[in-house]
């Protein structure tokens, strides 16, 4: 890993265009191209191509997370191809970190999450907006692109009350499949409702009636500082029909820095939610349903369900 981090620092950070090239090479390889073919196309040696692809793939598992693929599996081209669709979805949310901050994603304690929120509140120029975004990740496990696609009506009913058991619309989900969107966090409620009240006061995204607390139910749930939706742009080849919200990716990166929590990234938030669900007795099917992971084995790859020892399992059976 030190060699990979050094490669990323010494090559990718010196040349911003080389990162985009490395991502393109990763896409080509997962679609079936050989290292030799990619090397010829880019005028590089096979060894250089392999090294750069592995560097990006490893960081992709750390920063975003690839469903069904652990960090150690990202160095094997066969595993990358086996999880091709998951790799391509993860690339849509990929905003690389500085190599100096590269750490594997980890589960955070409730105290750490709240400490991070306290720091963001003090350091952010848009504390209400940023706190709502921050808590949303831990409460729902949404991907940044999915967050950008949320509407006010996904969170509020027309009468202004919260939709506790909402649905992430198929057109909003990265995998194109509708799934449960559960708003069950009091801290998220406090942060998000404060932000929506601020939006109303600033007359951003207003509706034509008192419904949805005076906001337009079809407007984006999160708006930029000037009151416009975050721009979603095409990503990759036209036939791939993939999109990305780069501005929101950069905002999340900023929030992770402001939080002061080492190793915090979007994958950490998802792992933390998975751990909390396991603590409350959820099984892998339920975790996968919430996070949009269809395969139980892919859920286990991300965070195996805790298992008691045999002694614990049979202790005082009757």
């Amino acid at each position: 890993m030190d060699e990979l981090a050094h490669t990323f620092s010494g090559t990718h950070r010196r040349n911003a265009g080389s990162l985009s090239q490395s991502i393109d090479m990763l896409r080509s390889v997962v679609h079936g191209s050989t290292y030799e073919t990619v090397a010829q196309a880019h005028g590089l040696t096979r060894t250089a191509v392999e090294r750069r692809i592995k560097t990006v793939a490893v960081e992709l598992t750390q920063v975003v997370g690839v469903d069904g693929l652990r960090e150690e599996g990202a160095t094997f081209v066969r595993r990358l191809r086996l999880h091709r669709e998951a790799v391509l979805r993860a690339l849509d949310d990929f905003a690389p970190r500085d190599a100096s901050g590269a750490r594997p994603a980890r589960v955070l304690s409730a105290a750490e999450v709240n400490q991070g929120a306290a720091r963001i509140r003090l350091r952010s120029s848009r504390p209400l907006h940023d706190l709502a975004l921050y808590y949303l990740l831990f409460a729902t496990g949404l991907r940044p692109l999915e967050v950008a696609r949320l509407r006010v009506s996904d969170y509020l009913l027309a009468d202004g009350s919260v939709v506790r058991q909402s649905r992430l619309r198929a057109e909003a989900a990265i995998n194109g499949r509708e799934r449960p969107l559960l708003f069950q966090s009091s801290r998220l409620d406090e942060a998000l409702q404060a932000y929506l009240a601020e939006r109303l006061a600033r007359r951003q995204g207003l509706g034509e009636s008192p419904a949805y607390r005076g906001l337009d139910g079809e407007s984006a749930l999160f708006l930029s500082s000037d009151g416009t939706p975050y721009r979603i742009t095409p990503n990759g080849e036209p036939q791939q029909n993939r999109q990305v919200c780069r501005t929101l990716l950069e905002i999340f990166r900023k929030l992770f820095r402001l939080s002061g929590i080492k190793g915090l990234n979007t994958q950490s938030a998802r792992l933390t939610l998975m751990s909390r669900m396991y603590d409350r007795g959820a099984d892998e099917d339920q975790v996968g349903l919430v996070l949009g992971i269809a395969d139980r084995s892919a859920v286990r790859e991300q965070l195996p369900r805790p298992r008691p020892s045999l002694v614990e399992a049979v202790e005082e059976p009757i």
Side-chain angles (χ1 to χ4, degrees):
M1 285 302 298
D2 289 342
E3 180 182 353
L4 292 176
H6 176 74
T7 300
F8 187 84
S9 177
T11 303
H12 290 68
R13 292 180 64 194
R14 281 198 302 267
N15 182 354
S18 67
L19 174 59
S20 176
Q21 185 184 60
S22 296
I23 291 174
D24 289 342
M25 291 191 295
L26 173 58
R27 291 182 186 275
S28 296
V29 166
V30 298
H31 277 294
S33 297
T34 64
Y35 287 139
E36 289 81 2
T37 300
V38 174
Q40 284 184 339
H42 291 275
L44 299 169
T45 66
R46 182 195 183 284
T47 300
V49 167
E50 181 178 3
R51 183 172 63 246
R52 287 172 59 171
I53 287 175
K54 288 179 178 180
T55 298
V56 173
V58 166
E59 190 174 3
L60 185 66
T61 65
Q62 295 175 341
V63 175
V64 180
V66 178
D67 295 336
L69 184 65
R70 292 185 180 179
E71 178 183 332
E72 56 267 26
T75 59
F76 297 97
V77 67
R78 183 181 63 82
R79 298 294 302 277
L80 291 171
R81 288 172 179 160
L82 181 64
H83 299 283
R84 182 181 66 184
E85 289 304 314
V87 169
L88 294 174
R89 286 198 301 268
L91 283 171
D92 292 338
D93 282 342
F94 188 39
R97 299 174 298 213
D98 291 339
S100 60
R103 294 181 178 87
R106 63 184 182 87
V107 173
L108 273 60
S109 68
E112 286 178 305
V113 173
N114 294 330
Q115 286 168 1
R119 295 186 187 106
I120 290 171
R121 189 188 301 274
L122 290 174
R123 299 170 178 174
S124 172
S125 60
R126 299 184 68 196
L128 299 183
H129 167 274
D130 288 351
L131 278 173
L133 279 176
Y134 174 79
Y135 276 124
L136 185 71
L137 287 186
F138 290 99
T140 65
L142 292 175
R143 302 285 198 184
L145 180 59
E146 294 171 334
V147 173
R149 291 169 172 169
L150 289 180
R151 300 172 183 165
V152 170
S153 57
D154 292 325
Y155 178 66
L156 294 178
L157 292 169
D159 65 6
S161 59
V162 176
V163 189
R164 295 297 174 194
Q165 298 184 42
S166 186
R167 305 290 298 180
L168 183 66
R169 292 165 286 108
E171 62 270 25
I174 283 181
N175 60 8
R177 293 193 291 269
E178 183 181 88
R179 69 177 190 264
L181 177 58
L182 308 176
F183 294 106
Q184 302 290 333
S185 166
S186 59
R187 290 190 182 275
L188 173 61
D189 276 344
E190 180 181 353
L192 192 46
Q193 294 185 48
Y195 166 61
L196 293 181
E198 179 183 62
R199 266 188 56 177
L200 185 62
R202 294 184 176 180
R203 305 186 64 79
Q204 295 179 337
L206 299 182
E208 298 180 354
S209 72
Y212 300 104
R213 304 187 187 181
L215 301 173
D216 181 357
E218 294 303 301
S219 69
L221 185 61
F222 290 93
L223 300 177
S224 62
S225 57
D226 64 3
T228 57
Y230 287 110
R231 187 182 178 201
I232 297 173
T233 57
N235 190 39
E237 298 298 324
Q239 65 270 21
Q240 292 177 333
N241 194 30
R242 297 188 179 279
Q243 296 180 318
V244 65
C245 182
R246 300 191 188 281
T247 303
L248 204 51
L249 284 173
E250 288 302 318
I251 288 175
F252 277 120
R253 291 183 68 190
K254 178 197 71 175
L255 295 184
F256 299 150
R257 291 194 301 269
L258 293 180
S259 74
I261 299 174
K262 294 181 179 179
L264 177 57
N265 50 49
T266 53
Q267 180 67 354
S268 293
R270 285 168 65 86
L271 291 180
T272 299
L273 176 58
M274 292 173 73
S275 178
R276 300 293 183 272
M277 291 183 68
Y278 281 147
D279 288 345
R280 289 163 173 77
D283 62 21
E284 289 154 348
D285 287 333
Q286 291 173 309
V287 170
L289 185 61
V290 168
L291 295 181
I293 306 174
D295 189 347
R296 288 172 64 100
S297 64
V299 175
R300 288 193 293 273
E301 284 280 346
Q302 296 296 298
L303 186 69
R305 187 180 180 184
R307 294 179 61 189
S309 68
L310 290 177
V311 172
E312 292 172 329
V314 300
E315 187 176 11
E316 296 289 349
I318 55 174

